[in-house]
Amino acid sequence: MTDFSMLSDYIIGIRRTLHKHPELSGQEFQTQQLIRNELDKLGIPHRTLHKTDILAEIAGLQTRPEETAALPPEKYSKTVLLRADLDALPITENSDAPYVSQSPGVMHACGHDSHTAMLLGAAKLLWDSRDHFSGTVRLMFQPAEETGRETRMLIDHGMLDGVDTVFAIHVAPDLPTGKICILPGPCMAGVDDFSIRLTSPGGHGATPHLGSDTLLAGAHLAVNLQQIVSREIDPQKPAVLTIGIFQAGTKVNLLAQEAVLSGNIRFFDKELSGYFKEALTRYSEHTAAMYRCSSEVTYTPSLLPTVNDAACCGTAKNAAMTVWGEDNLIKRPASMTSEDFSRYLEAVPGVMVFLGTSDGTQKTSWPLHHECFDLDESALLNGCRLYAAYAWEWLFQ
Ligand SMILES: [Zn+2]
Ligand SMILES: [Zn+2]
């Protein structure tokens, strides 16, 4: 019998240690060492595929029942990948908690410390139960989620080879502790980045008729671009265009020679990515031409929408029932934020679920990426159990 109160203490202890020592994307060396040490204590084999990741593997030891002898190995023996992310954000934490970040300007404001702690807890549960399942559980402790710069590399290094399904949890401060949200289909948006550079020979502010003004062109472009979503995209298809940076001008009496507008676009229908690229270029060229300026558009597709497989959602719901013992599902709309778990789901069917971590107080209800973000640690035990339960649903025969 598992002592759940000890397991909960273990998860909270790990989470607090990681919370105190957050590391930025791609720099998760201490975090990696902590995970190695914990896996070594249990005897779970692990390796590193690229730099700051850890891939652990737990092989089930159950002998194959005779009645399954006719089945080919891939039908009988499954591989389930459970994923946690490791990185923190460049944010100065605003908290008086005893586990406040000890690294100035760096903070676990997205809850990835708790994802890692829950998955280490699940590693214990799965290791202890390995006599009772066949197949393999792969545990991926993934770095650099916030920049999305490692996932493709890890896939190239074989992370998903032979994997039948993938599963991830994200904590959700907008949902109460004890509740879980499982959304079939798109649950998080795709995102593309863009940057538009307007140029002109400039001129003196006293003689605008002799020059051209990229600042004015940029101001009109910032307004015009908002018409793409409102006038060109099907209103039934959610999309948002945000310009986060607008830089222009060097002196009060000069016409700006350069203006740069940068931002991103979010959507659920991946076909919109190509449409936005064309429309953005068209608006930029025409607006620039109207003001006798030139334009240059850089358009970078970043992440596809995170799309949960319907059948895997069913498995996750069954797993949640076994953990909570009751229907604790809660609905909420898909989020316009993005996740690099979408790359896993492009390749392998699976699901990302949202675990409620708010106890109703302000302290645990700040949004993700907020300087005051914190969570109700009592929610983490069942999150840990859910990781293991999803694997068991696939691997118990
Ligand atoms: Zn985040
Ligand atoms: Zn996150």
Side-chain angles (χ1 to χ4, degrees):
M1 269 304 276
T2 309
D3 183 335
F4 285 129
S5 127
M6 267 178 67
L7 182 61
S8 180
D9 290 347
Y10 171 78
I11 298 163
I12 291 170
I14 296 278
R15 184 255 166 174
R16 290 184 175 197
T17 303
L18 292 173
H19 197 87
K20 267 188 183 178
H21 304 288
E23 295 175 294
L24 291 173
S25 309
Q27 304 298 317
E28 305 91 338
F29 294 104
Q30 282 187 51
T31 307
Q32 182 186 41
Q33 195 51 50
L34 178 145
I35 296 163
R36 276 197 188 117
N37 294 345
E38 293 305 309
L39 294 170
D40 285 344
K41 277 187 219 163
L42 292 166
I44 298 175
H46 57 83
R47 63 187 196 275
T48 292
L49 294 180
H50 182 229
K51 197 174 116 190
T52 49
D53 61 276
I54 300 262
L55 184 70
E57 244 172 31
I58 300 172
L61 300 177
Q62 188 195 46
T63 43
R64 187 169 168 168
E66 261 174 46
E67 59 269 25
T68 67
L71 292 173
E74 68 276 12
K75 280 266 186 285
Y76 179 74
S77 184
K78 302 279 189 216
T79 298
V80 178
L81 183 143
L82 309 175
R83 176 269 213 167
D85 39 13
L86 311 181
D87 52 333
L89 287 153
I91 294 173
T92 299
E93 184 164 16
N94 179 0
S95 165
D96 53 11
Y99 47 82
V100 66
S101 167
Q102 304 295 302
S103 308
V106 186
M107 174 192 177
H108 268 296
C110 205
H112 298 182
D113 49 351
S114 59
H115 301 165
T116 299
M118 288 190 288
L119 191 56
L120 280 171
K124 274 176 181 274
L125 292 174
L126 290 158
W127 184 249
D128 290 346
S129 68
R130 67 194 187 284
D131 285 346
H132 305 291
F133 64 83
S134 63
T136 305
V137 186
R138 221 174 255 189
L139 310 170
M140 170 38 75
F141 296 90
Q142 180 217 304
E145 189 286 321
E146 297 289 353
T147 58
R149 294 225 176 96
E150 277 291 303
T151 318
R152 195 158 276 148
M153 189 82 77
L154 295 172
I155 293 172
D156 288 347
H157 281 70
M159 170 175 74
L160 297 176
D161 292 357
V163 172
D164 294 286
T165 183
V166 292
F167 178 79
I169 295 178
H170 208 297
V171 292
D174 57 326
L175 302 178
T177 296
K179 293 289 179 187
I180 186 115
C181 175
I182 303 173
L183 294 174
C187 67
M188 293 176 92
V191 61
D192 290 350
D193 298 327
F194 66 83
S195 186
I196 303 164
R197 189 167 159 260
L198 302 173
T199 51
S200 79
H204 198 284
T207 54
H209 57 297
L210 299 178
S212 49
D213 185 356
T214 60
L215 189 150
L216 184 64
H220 279 268
L221 183 58
V223 175
N224 290 345
L225 288 176
Q226 295 303 331
Q227 318 308 322
I228 300 176
V229 173
S230 69
R231 299 292 85 179
E232 300 200 23
I233 302 297
D234 181 346
Q236 305 284 348
K237 295 182 177 175
V240 60
L241 181 153
T242 294
I243 299 161
I245 299 173
F246 181 14
Q247 289 167 326
T250 52
K251 266 184 164 306
V252 292
N253 61 351
L254 289 181
L255 302 181
Q257 284 182 292
E258 184 180 274
V260 177
L261 295 88
S262 305
N264 58 30
I265 289 156
R266 297 171 186 273
F267 48 84
F268 289 120
D269 178 352
K270 61 183 180 185
E271 303 296 322
L272 290 184
S273 175
Y275 188 87
F276 269 111
K277 184 179 181 185
E278 181 278 319
L280 211 78
T281 307
R282 175 161 40 87
Y283 274 64
S284 301
E285 280 174 1
H286 286 269
T287 308
M290 211 160 115
Y291 295 91
R292 291 175 284 131
C293 300
S294 306
S295 70
E296 190 186 302
V297 175
T298 308
Y299 194 91
T300 316
S302 180
L303 290 170
L304 288 177
T306 303
V307 183
N308 287 333
D309 177 82
C312 294
C313 286
T315 307
K317 285 175 187 173
N318 293 342
M321 272 299 282
T322 66
V323 171
W324 276 271
E326 57 178 13
D327 182 349
N328 67 328
L329 299 178
I330 190 168
K331 277 201 171 151
R332 71 147 190 226
S335 164
M336 292 309 287
T337 56
S338 306
E339 240 297 333
D340 81 347
F341 193 61
S342 62
R343 295 217 173 93
Y344 295 65
L345 293 172
E346 279 170 53
V348 179
V351 50
M352 164 167 264
V353 306
F354 302 97
L355 177 76
T357 54
S358 169
D359 61 11
T361 61
Q362 181 61 63
K363 181 176 182 286
T364 59
S365 304
W366 296 104
L368 298 172
H369 291 210
H370 192 280
E371 61 175 4
C372 296
F373 171 79
D374 204 345
L375 47 77
D376 175 7
E377 292 172 318
S378 75
L380 303 181
L381 172 66
N382 279 358
C384 157
R385 294 175 63 201
L386 184 62
Y387 266 123
Y390 185 82
W392 288 330
E393 285 288 323
W394 273 81
L395 301 177
F396 278 143
Q397 299 298 316

